[in-house]
Amino acid sequence: MAENPVKWLFLILASCLGFAFVLSESNLLIKKTYIVQMHKSAMPASFSSPLEWYSSKLKSVMSDTQSEGEGDGENRIIYSYQNAFHGVAAQLTEEEAERLKQEDGVVAILPETKYELHTTRSPMFLGLEPEESTSIWSQKLADHDVIVGVLDTGIWPESASFNDTGMTPVPAHWKGTCETGRGFQKHHCNRKIVGARVFYRGYEAATGKINEKNEYKSPRDQDGHGTHTAATVAGSPVRGANLLGYAYGTARGMAPGARIAAYKVCWTGGCFSSDILSAVDRAVGDGVNVLSISLGGGASSYSHDSLAIATFGAMEMGVFVSCSAGNGGPDPVSLTNVSPWITTVGASTMDRDFPGSVKLGSGRTISGVSLYKGRRLLQANKQYPLVYMGSNSSSPNPSSLCLEGTLDPHVVSGKIVICDRGINPRVQKGQVVKDAGGVGMILTNTAANGEELVADCHLLPAVAVGEMEGKAIKHYALTNGKPTATLAFLGTRLGVRPSPVVAAFSSRGPNFLTLEILKPDVVAPGVNILAAWTGELGPSSLPTDHRRVRFNILSGTSMSCPHVSGIAALIKARHPDWSPAAVKSALMTTAYVHDNIHNPLQDSSTAAASTPYDHGAGHINPLKALDPGLIYDISAQDYFEFLCTQKLTAMQLKAFSKHSNMSCHHNTLATPGDLNYPAISVVFPEDTAISTLTLHRTVTNVGPPASHYHVVVSPFKGVTIKVEPKTLNFTRRNQKLSYKISFTRKSPQTMPEFGGLVWKDGVHKVRSPIAITWLPPF
């Protein structure tokens, strides 16, 4: 009898193993999208075009059965890249991809990656005064000739922010086009929107065909994110812009005279790397001057990051690239888009907020924020029953989070419900409360959000409060026999102090890929930003929201990135011969690190001073950036020399040398810290025998021909610093002078130290942040 169970167990195991084998076999036959980078110079002369050669390579690795059914390799190709990147995106099985890696001329094969979006007052806050005044905009700059490519969810062309009245003809160098489709025709492009394209082949290969009844398979934006970012970059001035009465004023982009080219790469199910890569490649060929990319994927090494490789190619062609840092803060090492040739932008607040208040039955009034404006108002002189579905435990549960289906109408009907932040969208929590019969919501921050308040356009009366006040409200609700509250909405408040403050959600350094490259680069307004919106969706983005607005208020590094893209367009207009590195240097060395009450910039998550790991070089200062005095320039070869210090294989390096067959010189860059970067990051190794580290920098005079600078360096506990020479005397414009900075160990610290180095000439202050790290951590 004992044999039978063993026998059956053996049969079951054998069946499972057989099934697993069949499953693994079938998985090997499943085709996925791979990005195949080719070395164009390796193409044999027998091929008439790169595409013919790429197709031949694919054909050579296809199995006999596969090739019989599909003809040549060109049927597998979904994109061909030729400007910022050389190669194809193709449908391959794992086995075919492995075989293709061995082929001559194949530089790299990268699997498809999914990216996510990093989702009025800002021009005035940044010192860009109204058009009528003596401002940057009234100086008749040639920013009409600058074209910004926005990679996002498309564009809503009817928005007044894209009105082209008074604009000059489209620049002659523009080679782009206006692709058409449902809801988007040729006439939707104009002198403001000079181009619009869609990229969906990678998305469809991964998720299936787009349902064209539910989604526009055209440049038209039904999400709103792309319209918002495009208008922030270069929206035309619109008087009387507001969101349901909030933030009333004139909405305008950072560079209102610049042109917009919309590249739709994001769809309902996300954004895919093969589509993004194709958009970057096409944008460079179309002739954009600036690329604004408010999205990111998981961080990966330089040679495995298709966006890093593509933007390197864009930089080589003179295109400035601005990317959002990500919304992974306040956790350290949460940055995305950290390549040194990309300008990585974190988020900060402005001096404007949207106050609301919670008045408890105990008589206490607590401040919060809200963008609620609806017919369902709570009476100020009436108290409503208050309920919290959680417990005293610090960890939220489904009911306290107000997840869909977790609230009992019998318990919450007619009451104000306290909901913890987390998991589902903030505005959706209000919908859950509304569906359960609640009359209002108090949205409480948890430890992950601290005291940072982000206003939302809720569907029912709702106020968001910080973590400490949230705990007090929850304690009152749980301990009082009959807790009550009411909510009030107080409109728009200006002149908030302190500001700016680094947003808690803004991703933080250090840059784990290369500690010697300090990231993020800068911070810019990214909290409660008013800009144009789609006509397809309500301001909460919920399908149940039937309100329609022309402008919306959003927060995220997605919003800060286009601020920098627009300012870069202004700088490019003033200095058309400047390299992308020169533009970035101007933004970084003129950034400020003190708020409007003259204290160091705060970190919203701690209410303590922020560091360069949070704010980079500081908060952008557009007017100063137009006249920085000195710049730290970096050529494509310099960036390549930096990659030579990053332990990449010869084949991996080839991925970055597609245009000019670059090679490592080794004598030009001793360490990654010697890259001529505007920020300075010093990493002391574990080996205490290394007592001094010396870095080198070269500055270019872009100010008056005869300029005399002297250096000022902040003191550090752990090191002594020596700068040689201490003065720089320029005799002509565009003259280059070099200096070196020596850091000598004095008293190693357990934590990184931060400070700055400033070159002054009496007019300009050219500042570089300094970070000093000791390895390993003590």
Side-chain angles (χ1 to χ4, degrees):
M1 290 291 291
E3 286 180 11
N4 286 339
V6 174
K7 187 175 179 181
W8 279 108
L9 184 62
F10 176 79
L11 286 170
I12 291 167
L13 281 172
S15 300
C16 288
L17 286 170
F19 179 71
F21 178 74
V22 170
L23 200 60
S24 64
E25 281 274 286
S26 63
N27 280 340
L28 289 174
L29 297 175
I30 293 173
K31 290 192 286 289
K32 299 175 185 174
T33 302
Y34 291 87
I35 294 163
V36 183
Q37 189 174 8
M38 304 292 289
H39 208 286
K40 192 178 176 183
S41 60
M43 184 179 82
S46 56
F47 291 98
S48 60
S49 70
L51 183 59
E52 184 187 348
W53 179 45
Y54 303 155
S55 302
S56 171
K57 284 290 181 189
L58 293 178
K59 172 83 170 173
S60 70
V61 300
M62 288 163 58
S63 65
D64 292 339
T65 53
Q66 295 270 0
S67 57
E68 281 173 20
E70 300 185 54
D72 61 27
E74 193 169 344
N75 292 332
R76 296 283 198 89
I77 294 173
I78 60 175
Y79 286 117
S80 175
Y81 308 121
Q82 58 187 357
N83 297 303
F85 192 93
H86 292 147
V88 293
Q91 291 271 286
L92 300 167
T93 65
E94 283 184 36
E95 189 181 345
E96 290 167 346
E98 286 301 315
R99 285 204 295 267
L100 192 58
K101 281 181 185 175
Q102 314 308 316
E103 290 287 314
D104 291 338
V106 176
V107 175
I109 296 182
L110 306 173
E112 180 83 280
T113 306
K114 186 179 177 184
Y115 286 67
E116 300 292 344
L117 294 163
H118 287 152
T119 161
T120 69
R121 168 134 177 102
S122 48
M124 193 174 291
F125 179 66
L126 292 171
L128 300 171
E129 294 299 323
E131 243 176 334
E132 301 80 62
S133 73
T134 55
S135 73
I136 174 81
W137 290 326
S138 60
Q139 292 171 22
K140 306 301 180 190
L141 290 180
D143 56 344
H144 294 275
D145 291 335
V146 178
I147 299 169
V148 183
V150 181
L151 273 65
D152 216 295
T153 63
I155 198 161
W156 190 263
E158 289 82 5
S159 171
S161 293
F162 308 125
N163 186 326
D164 68 349
T165 301
M167 294 195 76
T168 57
V170 176
H173 77 267
W174 178 243
K175 301 181 184 68
T177 190
C178 194
E179 294 182 1
T180 60
R182 185 168 77 88
F184 204 95
Q185 302 305 318
K186 290 285 185 188
H187 72 268
H188 286 121
C189 287
N190 56 17
R191 291 178 176 186
K192 169 61 73 176
I193 304 172
V194 296
R197 294 184 185 271
V198 292
F199 302 85
Y200 52 78
R201 294 177 195 164
Y203 176 74
E204 287 194 333
T207 66
K209 290 287 184 185
I210 291 168
N211 184 334
E212 295 189 51
K213 289 182 179 177
N214 299 333
E215 193 164 8
Y216 290 106
K217 200 172 179 178
S218 76
R220 182 168 289 280
D221 175 23
Q222 68 189 58
D223 178 273
H225 191 278
T227 299
H228 198 281
T229 55
T232 302
V233 171
S236 302
V238 182
R239 297 180 187 280
N242 67 91
L243 169 62
L244 304 176
Y246 288 101
Y248 188 93
T250 298
R252 58 163 65 80
M254 297 298 99
R259 325 288 181 144
I260 296 163
Y263 296 88
K264 185 173 179 177
V265 296
C266 295
W267 306 85
T268 303
C271 330
F272 285 79
S273 55
S274 60
D275 297 325
I276 295 165
L277 204 58
S278 187
V280 171
D281 187 67
R282 178 61 69 181
V284 171
D286 286 346
V288 302
N289 306 105
V290 174
L291 275 173
S292 190
I293 306 175
S294 287
L295 45 87
S300 57
S301 64
Y302 299 113
S303 61
H304 288 84
D305 184 343
S306 56
L307 186 58
I309 297 169
T311 52
F312 187 97
M315 172 273 300
E316 278 188 280
M317 304 297 281
V319 178
F320 176 91
V321 182
S322 173
C323 291
S324 46
N327 298 340
D331 292 344
V333 199
S334 50
L335 292 165
T336 63
N337 303 319
V338 296
S339 299
W341 49 90
I342 289 172
T343 299
T344 311
V345 187
S348 54
T349 65
M350 293 191 299
D351 62 344
R352 176 184 71 191
D353 68 9
F354 307 100
S357 67
V358 179
K359 186 172 183 181
L360 301 177
S362 62
R364 183 178 176 189
T365 299
I366 290 167
S367 297
V369 297
S370 182
L371 289 169
Y372 176 71
K373 193 69 166 283
R375 291 189 294 271
R376 299 177 59 174
L377 286 173
L378 302 182
Q379 296 174 34
N381 57 356
K382 178 184 175 183
Q383 288 281 310
Y384 298 83
L386 180 67
V387 63
Y388 177 55
M389 303 301 289
S391 64
N392 281 317
S393 167
S394 58
S395 55
N397 61 45
S399 294
S400 74
L401 289 163
C402 300
L403 302 181
E404 200 163 347
T406 61
L407 298 183
D408 183 350
H410 294 101
V411 177
V412 306
S413 183
K415 297 176 183 175
I416 295 173
V417 182
I418 302 166
C419 298
D420 289 317
R421 271 182 72 171
I423 301 185
N424 58 335
R426 300 182 299 270
V427 286
Q428 192 176 53
K429 295 175 189 290
Q431 182 67 53
V432 171
V433 171
K434 186 179 177 184
D435 290 345
V439 296
M441 175 179 72
I442 300 171
L443 184 65
T444 62
N445 280 2
T446 59
N449 317 108
E451 300 310 308
E452 176 171 82
L453 299 179
V454 178
D456 291 300
C457 199
H458 293 283
L459 284 163
L460 86 170
V463 172
V465 300
E467 182 195 11
M468 296 303 294
E469 299 287 33
K471 284 181 177 177
I473 296 171
K474 288 186 279 192
H475 177 75
Y476 165 73
L478 290 168
T479 57
N480 190 289
K482 290 186 176 179
T484 60
T486 193
L487 310 176
F489 308 96
L490 308 175
T492 304
R493 182 176 65 167
L494 303 178
V496 173
R497 295 165 167 263
S499 63
V501 171
V502 178
F505 60 74
S506 186
S507 288
R508 311 304 169 97
N511 169 11
F512 81 103
L513 272 187
T514 311
L515 280 171
E516 292 87 349
I517 302 298
L518 189 61
K519 290 281 184 171
D521 291 311
V522 290
V523 291
V527 179
N528 297 335
I529 304 301
L530 180 78
W533 190 241
T534 176
E536 193 75 16
L537 204 60
S540 70
S541 294
L542 295 175
T544 52
D545 188 353
H546 301 297
R547 299 171 295 180
R548 293 295 178 264
V549 295
R550 296 190 305 143
F551 294 86
N552 202 3
I553 291 173
L554 301 180
S555 298
T557 54
S558 276
M559 282 63 251
S560 51
C561 169
H563 279 84
V564 169
S565 308
I567 301 306
L570 285 178
I571 298 172
K572 197 76 176 165
R574 173 73 66 88
H575 307 284
D577 57 331
W578 279 14
S579 69
V583 175
K584 175 196 265 194
S585 174
L587 287 162
M588 291 177 68
T589 60
T590 59
Y592 59 84
V593 291
H594 289 85
D595 59 30
N596 58 359
I597 53 174
H598 311 295
N599 290 330
L601 294 178
Q602 274 189 23
D603 177 353
S604 180
S605 68
T606 61
S610 60
T611 76
Y613 285 168
D614 309 317
H615 62 238
H619 191 283
I620 58 167
N621 192 344
L623 293 179
K624 297 274 189 190
L626 288 165
D627 178 24
L630 304 175
I631 56 169
Y632 293 83
D633 211 353
I634 307 174
S635 68
Q637 178 65 39
D638 294 332
Y639 283 122
F640 189 79
E641 294 292 342
F642 160 78
L643 289 167
C644 296
T645 70
Q646 297 300 293
K647 299 179 180 176
L648 273 65
T649 66
M651 188 57 77
Q652 287 170 338
L653 283 168
K654 275 188 178 179
F656 296 92
S657 63
K658 54 199 160 292
H659 283 298
S660 47
N661 292 322
M662 297 173 182
S663 60
C664 297
H665 296 160
H666 295 298
N667 58 346
T668 57
L669 210 66
T671 70
D674 264 340
L675 181 69
N676 201 37
Y677 213 66
I680 297 164
S681 181
V682 183
V683 183
F684 275 98
E686 183 181 4
D687 184 359
T688 53
I690 300 173
S691 61
T692 301
L693 294 174
T694 301
L695 300 182
H696 303 81
R697 292 291 187 270
T698 299
V699 287
T700 305
N701 177 31
V702 294
S707 296
H708 307 284
Y709 286 84
H710 69 279
V711 73
V712 178
V713 186
S714 53
F716 287 81
K717 294 177 183 176
V719 296
T720 55
I721 300 178
K722 184 179 182 181
V723 181
E724 299 177 285
K726 288 184 168 60
T727 60
L728 297 173
N729 298 305
F730 295 91
T731 58
R732 64 183 187 276
R733 192 172 170 85
N734 294 322
Q735 182 183 356
K736 294 179 184 291
L737 291 177
S738 298
Y739 66 93
K740 65 179 182 179
I741 327 156
S742 298
F743 299 84
T744 303
R745 285 180 191 261
K746 185 171 65 175
S747 173
Q749 303 293 299
T750 57
M751 297 292 287
E753 274 196 276
F754 304 100
L757 175 150
V758 187
W759 289 101
K760 298 181 178 181
D761 71 345
V763 177
H764 304 95
K765 293 180 181 179
V766 186
R767 185 182 185 278
S768 293
I770 298 175
I772 300 175
T773 309
W774 286 263
L775 294 179
F778 284 81

